[in-house]
Structure formats: C-alpha cells, structure tokens
C-alpha cells in the first residue's frame, strides 16, 4: 500500500470531528419517544419518581452526547440539555395533535395505539420534532443524524430546520422530501412521493428561503412536486397527484394534472 496514502488517511482520522456513534444518538432519541409514548415500549413505569429519574437519566445522556461531540465543545451543554427537556411537554402536546390528525384522517387506522406503534409517518414526525428542537437550540450534527435515521427507516426525508405546525399528517410517505426552509401550517396532509423542494441548489443560496410555504388545511396528493422559496400554497387548497408547481396558488385552490392518455388495443 502506498505510504503517502496511508499517512493521508491517518492524518484525516486524527483530525476528524469526534461524534458519538449514530446508534448511540438514535437510541437516546428512541428512549425519549418511548418515555413519552409507552405504546412503543415494553416497560411501564409505576410511579412519578421513576418517570422523573428516567427523564434525568436521558437529560444526562444528552449532555454527555453533546460533550463527546467536537462541534459542541464551545456550547453550554448543561444549559442546552436543560432547555431541551423543559420543552418536552410542548413537544408531547404537538405530537398528540399529529397522532389525532393521522387517526382521524385515515379510515384504515384502527386505533391511536396502532398509529403510534406502526405508522411510518408518525415515526418520521416524532424524530423530526425532537431534531427540530435540537436545531432550534443550534446544537450541531445531532439533528441531522436523527432525521436521517428516520429517513432510512421510513423513506420520509424531513430536514430538521423545516418549520412544521401542529396536526401534521403524512400518509404512507415513502419518497416524501421536505426541504430545509419549508414552512408548513396546521392541519396539513401529505401523501407519498411528494417533494417540497428548491428551484435551485446553488451553494450561494444556503442562507435564503429556497423551499415552499404550505398554509393551513392543505392536502397534497402523491407525486406532487412543489418548488421555490417564493411559492405559497394558499390555505384550504388541494394539490392533485403528479402536479408540478413553481408558482403560488391562491387560498382554496384546486390544482390538478390532466395528462393526455391514449390507450391502444390491438385485437388479433
């Protein structure tokens, strides 16, 4: 093996940014979610004291994860961990609105237990909610690790910086992409294969709004692509399947793709 190549690799390894394993980080997030929603856990707590002790344990773990992350070395990690856990009651409230939206919006949903335990949309949303809170406190690296874990598990790609209001429902969801500067209002329902993306991916646009705004009570059906930071989907609108949009639509609009389909049948 070429010695210069080996020295190059050694130098890179010694100067790489230390981060705990993805498994450690995602396990911590799963424990938080399971504490909020015992439907996902086999362990049931029997007292308030036990719950409080578990919250303190997870808070300490977050502090230790941040301490072990080189990008967090100049942060007040104890204060950030405390702030994160102080907001968990609000995250819990919002996640319950998401559960309600999924259960009431899907005729196939038998119970809220089933939604919490089995639905990929809820899995992706719950990881996004935690990741977005970490992002809000400018904690580096960890938010993206969490949303990419959910992406790998569900096929739903939500950037942790996206702003998503309550009663959010993703149905099926495989192939759905929600970009970094997307804003989504209340009571929005998305199906599979949707892209809320950017018109351009030029690096000099990193600090601009590149992704669309979706106002309250919008439904977007499968395969729709909506692009651009100035694109606004007005409240109460329905965007049909396979629509391609790069311009705003007024509130209560109905936007549909009308393909020209010709079926030819040859009879021998």
């Amino acid at each position: 093996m070429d010695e210069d190549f080996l020295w190059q690799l050694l130098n890179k390894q010694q100067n790489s940014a230390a981060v705990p394993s993805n498994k450690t980080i995602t396990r911590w997030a799963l424990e938080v979610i399971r504490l909020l929603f015992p439907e996902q856990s086999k362990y049931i707590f029997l007292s308030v004291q036990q719950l409080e002790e578990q919250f303190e344990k997870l808070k300490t773990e977050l502090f230790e994860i941040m301490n072990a992350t080189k990008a967090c070395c100049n942060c007040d990690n104890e204060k950030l961990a405390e702030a994160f856990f102080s907001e968990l009651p609000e995250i819990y409230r919002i996640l319950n609105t998401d559960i309600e939206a999924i259960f009431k919006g899907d005729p196939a949903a038998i119970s809220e237990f089933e939604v919490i335990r089995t639905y990929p949309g809820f899995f992706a949303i719950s990881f996004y909610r935690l990741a977005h809170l970490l992002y809000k406190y400018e904690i580096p690296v960890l938010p993206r690790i969490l949303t990419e874990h959910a992406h790998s598990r569900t096929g739903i790609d939500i950037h942790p910086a996206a702003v998503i209001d309550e009663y959010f429902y993703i149905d099926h969801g495989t192939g759905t992409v929600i970009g970094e500067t997307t804003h989504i209002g209340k009571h929005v329902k998305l199906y599979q294969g949707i892209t809320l993306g950017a018109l351009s991916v030029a690096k000099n646009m990193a600090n601009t709004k590149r992704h669309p705004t979706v106002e309250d009570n919008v439904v977007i059906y499968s395969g729709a692509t909506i692009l651009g930071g100035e694109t606004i989907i007005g409240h109460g609108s329905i965007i049909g399947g396979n629509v391609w949009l790069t311009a705003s639509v007024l509130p209560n609009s109905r936007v549909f793709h009308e393909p020209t389909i010709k079926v030819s049948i040859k009879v021998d």
Side-chain angles (χ1 to χ4, degrees):
M1 184 68 70
D2 180 73
E3 188 173 351
D4 288 341
F5 174 65
L6 293 174
W7 277 107
Q8 183 181 354
L9 291 182
L10 180 62
N11 183 64
K12 187 174 182 180
Q13 290 191 19
Q14 291 178 342
N15 289 284
S16 64
V19 182
S21 71
N22 287 11
K23 185 176 180 180
T24 296
I25 295 164
T26 56
R27 183 203 56 76
W28 167 82
L30 277 170
E31 288 300 314
V32 173
I33 292 166
R34 288 167 180 166
L35 189 56
L36 298 177
F37 298 100
E39 295 89 341
Q40 293 194 6
S41 176
K42 63 182 179 181
Y43 183 81
I44 302 299
F45 291 90
L46 300 176
S47 70
V48 169
Q49 183 181 356
Q50 285 182 330
L51 283 168
E52 190 170 17
E53 288 172 355
Q54 183 66 5
F55 274 121
E56 286 300 319
K57 174 179 174 290
L58 291 170
K59 187 191 303 181
T60 299
E61 286 183 12
L62 176 58
F63 170 70
E64 291 172 348
I65 288 169
M66 288 191 290
N67 273 351
T69 301
K70 190 173 181 179
C72 296
C73 63
N74 294 320
C75 307
D76 188 342
N77 293 328
E78 186 173 3
K79 182 178 178 181
L80 289 172
E82 189 69 40
F84 177 90
F85 275 85
S86 73
E87 292 209 44
L88 271 190
E90 176 63 7
I91 294 296
Y92 178 70
R93 184 194 70 79
I94 294 174
L95 281 170
N96 274 293
T97 71
D98 301 327
I99 293 165
E100 181 181 337
I102 295 170
F103 177 63
K104 289 184 175 179
D106 185 0
I110 296 171
S111 65
E112 291 191 353
F113 179 94
E114 183 184 52
V115 169
I116 295 166
R117 188 67 175 260
T118 69
Y119 273 50
F122 179 70
F123 187 92
I125 292 167
S126 60
F127 264 75
Y128 155 76
R129 297 282 185 206
L130 295 186
H132 183 70
L133 184 54
L134 293 170
Y135 179 88
K136 170 185 169 181
Y137 285 111
E138 300 182 345
I139 296 170
V141 184
L142 308 186
R144 195 60 183 263
I145 288 174
L146 293 185
T147 53
E148 287 302 332
H149 174 73
H151 181 195
S152 70
R153 283 279 304 272
T154 66
I156 299 167
D157 184 0
I158 310 176
H159 195 285
V163 177
I164 303 176
D165 215 324
E166 57 193 32
Y167 293 96
F168 184 47
Y169 175 15
I170 299 176
D171 196 355
H172 307 299
T174 305
T176 291
V177 177
I178 301 173
E180 177 185 16
T181 61
T182 303
H183 286 197
I184 296 177
K186 296 180 175 67
H187 296 280
V188 170
K189 183 176 183 178
L190 306 182
Y191 284 83
Q192 67 272 22
I194 290 167
T195 298
L196 301 178
L199 271 169
S200 172
V201 293
K203 195 65 177 177
N204 61 9
M205 295 182 67
N207 296 317
T208 63
K209 190 177 188 313
R210 308 181 306 283
H211 306 89
T213 295
V214 179
E215 294 184 344
D216 297 349
N217 299 294
V218 169
V219 179
I220 305 176
Y221 283 98
S222 59
T225 298
I226 303 171
L227 306 177
E230 296 182 1
T231 302
I232 300 173
I233 307 303
H235 62 81
S237 294
I238 295 176
I239 309 300
N242 299 317
V243 164
W244 177 281
L245 267 179
T246 59
S248 298
V249 299
L250 294 173
N252 301 307
S253 296
R254 302 292 181 267
V255 183
F256 298 102
H257 173 62
E258 294 184 351
T260 301
I261 299 174
K262 184 178 181 180
V263 179
S264 176
I265 301 176
K266 183 179 180 181
V267 179
D268 294 329

